[in-house]
């Protein structure tokens, strides 16, 4: 019996990404000759390395799942997408058995070492094993793993910013210990606003959740004496937030002015942990029951800069029932 899982919808793919530490996805098409040529190699890897909740092999028919192909900008077939903790870490283009073998087996080896060290698998919806910048509230779990990554929709996102899914990455921010800057040769693993300080973040969930609090992590680059490399003004931490619940889609900036929000928050400098760059936002729990989506409107930032930056978002609360497929399934950028 084949160990490869055919992806049936964007929602199904999101479930796979949140339920397995490592996911390898073969993007193919029926008419693609090279796809069929390398298929036996992929099947063999799946047979050898598949492990429930740890390493999952999937196939995405790009003709049937055009939304997924568009979301991940699949322009050549076959393309193999490799994910770790829900985030794409590598892709192999073309029928390249050697490249595919090396990439997959390297991650499988890392997963084996992690098990030996006793690291949590991260396969549960609570996001076990994820980095957090502050202790979880007592009696509540990390429900960030319930975020529907394919349904994310952000407004005023900077053109040079990282993939928006990075906000929910389980790993430690790369700029931690780097004075808020990316490691040399590494991509930025945070998001910044574009034309001004405002950001609008639409975050759908795979299951209804009860939200107790949000942890927001932002690292502001520390200026070094005599450092003239960065001519841009340093970005700001979020200051004023408006939260909207159970919206079917992202709220426009003009629409937000006329739409009552569920809660308004003003973050003070003292709210931020200077070591981890994290602020804990406590919610009015009674107003955040049975949440299927959350819109976070960053109204302004702390300071005089022109851009706002966010490195990580973590949600804490309780998970509920899986929502019906087809709802809140907006995929890709307009």
């Amino acid at each position: 019996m084949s160990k490869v899982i055919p992806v049936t919808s964007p929602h199904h793919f999101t479930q796979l990404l949140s339920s397995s530490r490592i996911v390898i996805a073969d993007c193919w098409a029926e008419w693609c000759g090279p796809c069929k040529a390398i298929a036996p190699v992929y099947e063999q890897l799946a047979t050898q390395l598949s492990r429930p909740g740890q390493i999952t092999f999937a196939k995405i028919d790009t003709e049937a799942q055009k939304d997924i192909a568009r979301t991940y900008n699949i322009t050549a077939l076959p393309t193999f997408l490799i994910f770790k903790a829900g985030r794409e870490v590598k892709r192999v283009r073309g029928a390249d058995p050697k490249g595919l073998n090396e990439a997959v087996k390297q991650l499988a080896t890392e997963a084996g070492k992690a098990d030996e060290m006793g690291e949590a698998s991260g396969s549960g919806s609570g996001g076990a094993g994820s980095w957090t910048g502050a202790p979880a509230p007592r009696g509540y779990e990390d429900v960030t793993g319930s975020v529907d990554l394919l349904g994310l929709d952000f407004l005023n996102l900077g053109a040079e910013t990282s993939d928006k899914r990075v906000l929910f990455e389980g790993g430690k921010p790369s700029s931690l210990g780097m004075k808020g800057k990316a490691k040399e040769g590494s991509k930025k693993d945070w998001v910044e606003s574009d034309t001004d300080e405002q950001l609008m973040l639409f975050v759908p969930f795979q299951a209804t959740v009860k939200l107790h609090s949000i942890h927001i992590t932002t690292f502001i680059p520390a200026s070094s004496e005599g450092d003239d490399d960065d001519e841009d003004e340093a970005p700001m931490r979020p200051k004023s937030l408006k939260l909207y619940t159970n919206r079917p889609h992202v709220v426009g900036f003009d629409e937000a002015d006329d739409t009552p929000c569920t809660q308004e928050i003003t973050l003070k400098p003292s709210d931020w942990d200077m070591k981890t760059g994290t602020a804990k936002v406590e919610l009015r729990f009674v107003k955040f029951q049975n949440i299927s989506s959350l819109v976070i409107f960053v109204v302004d930032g702390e300071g005089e800069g022109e851009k706002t930056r966010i490195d990580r978002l973590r949600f804490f609360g309780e998970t509920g029932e899986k929502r019906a497929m087809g709802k809140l399934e907006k995929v890709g950028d307009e």
Side-chain angles (χ1 to χ4, degrees):
M1 183 176 179
S2 176
K3 296 283 188 179
V4 178
I5 300 174
V7 173
T8 57
S9 70
H11 179 67
H12 181 209
F13 190 48
T14 298
Q15 286 181 312
L16 291 179
L17 292 177
S18 63
S19 63
S20 182
R21 179 191 296 174
I22 295 170
V23 175
I24 303 97
D26 173 11
C27 300
W28 69 289
E30 185 64 37
W31 49 263
C32 172
C35 297
K36 295 179 179 179
I38 200 173
V41 176
Y42 190 68
E43 286 280 353
Q44 185 177 19
L45 284 170
T47 301
Q48 293 174 345
L49 302 175
S50 290
R51 291 158 55 196
Q54 303 297 306
I55 305 175
T56 299
F57 287 78
K59 287 182 77 74
I60 300 172
D61 183 344
T62 55
E63 292 294 304
Q65 305 300 331
K66 293 182 179 179
D67 284 342
I68 299 177
R70 185 164 53 249
T71 296
Y72 290 97
N73 193 29
I74 303 302
T75 58
L77 294 178
T79 292
F80 298 90
L81 305 176
I82 302 176
F83 298 84
K84 185 177 180 181
R87 181 186 178 195
E88 183 186 341
V89 295
K90 188 176 181 63
R91 65 173 60 195
V92 178
R93 296 175 184 269
D96 179 7
K98 182 180 178 181
L100 180 62
N101 263 289
E102 290 176 352
V104 172
K105 289 184 176 179
Q106 179 184 352
L107 274 182
T109 300
E110 292 177 5
K113 289 180 179 178
D115 288 341
E116 292 173 4
M117 295 172 62
E119 292 183 5
S121 69
S123 61
S125 63
S130 295
W131 178 89
T132 56
R138 181 174 297 181
Y140 298 96
E141 62 178 346
D142 183 349
V143 298
T144 312
S146 293
V147 171
D148 183 351
L149 297 175
L150 290 183
L152 298 172
D153 194 5
F154 295 179
L155 300 183
N156 198 36
L157 192 64
E160 297 181 1
T161 197
S162 182
D163 187 323
K164 51 182 173 283
R165 290 167 293 184
V166 77
L167 289 185
F168 311 98
E169 159 68 33
K172 180 174 66 175
S174 66
S175 55
L176 182 62
M178 297 292 294
K179 297 183 178 181
K181 299 179 181 179
K183 293 180 181 179
E184 186 174 354
S186 300
K187 293 194 307 181
K188 297 179 179 179
D189 65 338
W190 62 80
V191 302
E192 291 182 5
S193 59
D194 189 14
T195 56
D196 57 29
E197 59 196 313
Q198 295 189 330
L199 276 169
M200 191 74 73
L201 315 179
F202 172 73
V203 183
F205 295 95
Q206 301 172 45
T208 56
V209 296
K210 297 179 181 180
L211 292 178
H212 172 274
S213 54
I214 306 172
H215 290 185
I216 303 175
T217 299
T218 296
F219 293 106
I220 302 303
S223 58
S224 301
E225 188 174 347
D227 185 2
D228 297 324
D229 293 339
D230 189 358
E231 298 178 356
D232 297 329
E233 191 171 356
M236 302 179 292
R237 300 183 296 207
K239 179 181 177 183
S240 303
L241 307 174
K242 290 185 178 181
L243 305 180
Y244 305 83
T245 55
N246 295 339
R247 305 291 299 180
H249 50 71
V250 70
V251 177
F253 290 107
D254 292 337
E255 182 185 358
D257 293 334
D258 301 321
T259 304
C261 65
T262 307
Q263 185 173 342
E264 288 190 60
I265 296 132
T266 300
L267 295 171
K268 305 183 295 295
S270 58
D271 292 329
W272 297 90
D273 184 310
M274 299 305 294
K275 183 179 291 186
T276 67
T278 300
K280 295 186 288 186
V281 178
E282 299 219 348
L283 306 177
R284 299 188 189 115
F285 193 48
V286 69
K287 292 191 174 184
F288 289 84
Q289 308 289 305
N290 299 317
I291 303 302
S292 59
S293 72
L294 182 70
V295 174
I296 303 173
F297 178 20
V298 180
V299 181
D300 56 29
E302 176 191 307
E304 301 298 327
E306 296 182 354
K307 296 184 178 182
T308 302
R309 166 172 164 172
I310 302 177
D311 290 63
R312 293 290 187 273
L313 288 174
R314 289 284 179 271
F315 299 104
F316 292 88
E318 302 172 1
T319 55
E321 296 181 358
K322 290 284 184 181
R323 61 178 171 81
M325 289 179 61
K327 294 183 180 179
L328 300 175
E329 209 164 24
K330 183 174 182 11
V331 179
D333 298 321
E334 294 182 356

